[in-house]
Amino acid sequence: MKIVVVSAGLSSPSSTRLLADRLTAATLQHVDADTEVIELRELATEIAQHFVTGFPPARLAAALDAVAAADGLITVTPVFAGSYSGLFKSFFDLIDKDALTGKPVLLGATGGTARHSLVTEHALRPLFTYLRALVLPTAVYAASEDWGEDGLAQRIARAGAELARFTAPAAVPGPGAAPDVDTAAAIAPRSPTGAITSVDPADGFVTVPFEQRLAALRVP
């Protein structure tokens, strides 16, 4: 199993790469997988050449192939002018239109202010939905003031557990097994099919039909 991490940070070190590394570490707490990090700033010239010539240089071709072959993706971009960076968008413009179909993708973004916190929803999520990827419920945005705060650490942990769950469903305990408490709390809201679920520590993961939930809310 392989998880590919795409980081669009422009400096070294960068908060974008830091967030990518923390999301990767959170995922690997729940699943055994090989990882590969693609730093887009190192491919900027090759990306521009591909647009002009129509042919990817060797390093870019290897990166595109790695994304297409991955079992899951972690993608993190800095925010420019209220959206993803041009370098980030240019790279995914070169991805084959069918390469991400059904592939679990964890979204991340970094910025200088919390005002851009919805960039994951109004920019990143529509992009990967258009590419028919399986975009995970939890996206992580980190503003400058978020670093070191418990809230960011909790979002990272939840997102990492979700990627592990959707990348390798067998890694999650089934009926009769006691789930890891942290993993269960992070991934309980939805099953791989999107169904709302509940977690019973004694029985593992139990899907509760929507009709049953509605019936419980009716006034006698």
Side-chain angles (χ1 to χ4, degrees), residues 79-196:
V79 175
F80 291 130
S83 187
Y84 38 64
S85 72
L87 181 60
F88 183 87
K89 179 61 161 61
S90 295
F91 178 75
F92 283 100
D93 280 345
L94 299 177
I95 296 288
D96 182 88
K97 63 181 180 65
D98 298 318
L100 299 187
T101 300
K103 195 183 301 293
V105 176
L106 194 168
L107 306 178
T110 58
T113 172
R115 289 183 301 164
H116 297 305
S117 59
L118 289 179
V119 68
T120 57
E121 307 307 315
H122 70 66
L124 286 170
R125 195 174 296 275
L127 170 63
F128 287 97
T129 298
Y130 174 79
L131 293 172
R132 299 194 295 279
L134 177 61
V135 187
L136 299 182
T138 300
V140 180
Y141 174 79
S144 297
E145 63 266 28
D146 289 331
W147 295 102
E149 297 295 327
D150 290 341
L152 177 60
Q154 291 170 1
R155 295 196 301 276
I156 289 173
R158 174 182 287 272
E162 286 178 356
L163 180 58
R165 174 68 173 89
F166 284 88
T167 303
V172 177
D180 175 79
V181 175
D182 292 337
T183 304
I187 64 179
R190 292 190 181 275
S191 71
T193 60
I196 299 174

Side-chain angles (χ1 to χ4, degrees), residues 37-48:
V37 178
I38 298 172
E39 284 278 10
L40 295 187
R41 67 185 182 87
E42 299 175 356
L43 298 173
T45 300
E46 285 92 336
I47 291 172

Side-chain angles (χ1 to χ4, degrees), residues 12 15 19 23 55 58 64 88 107 118 131 152 155 164 202-204:
S12 181
S15 59
L19 178 58
L23 290 170
F55 297 96
L64 296 174
F88 183 87
L107 306 178
L118 289 179
L131 293 172
L152 177 60
R155 295 196 301 276
D203 299 329

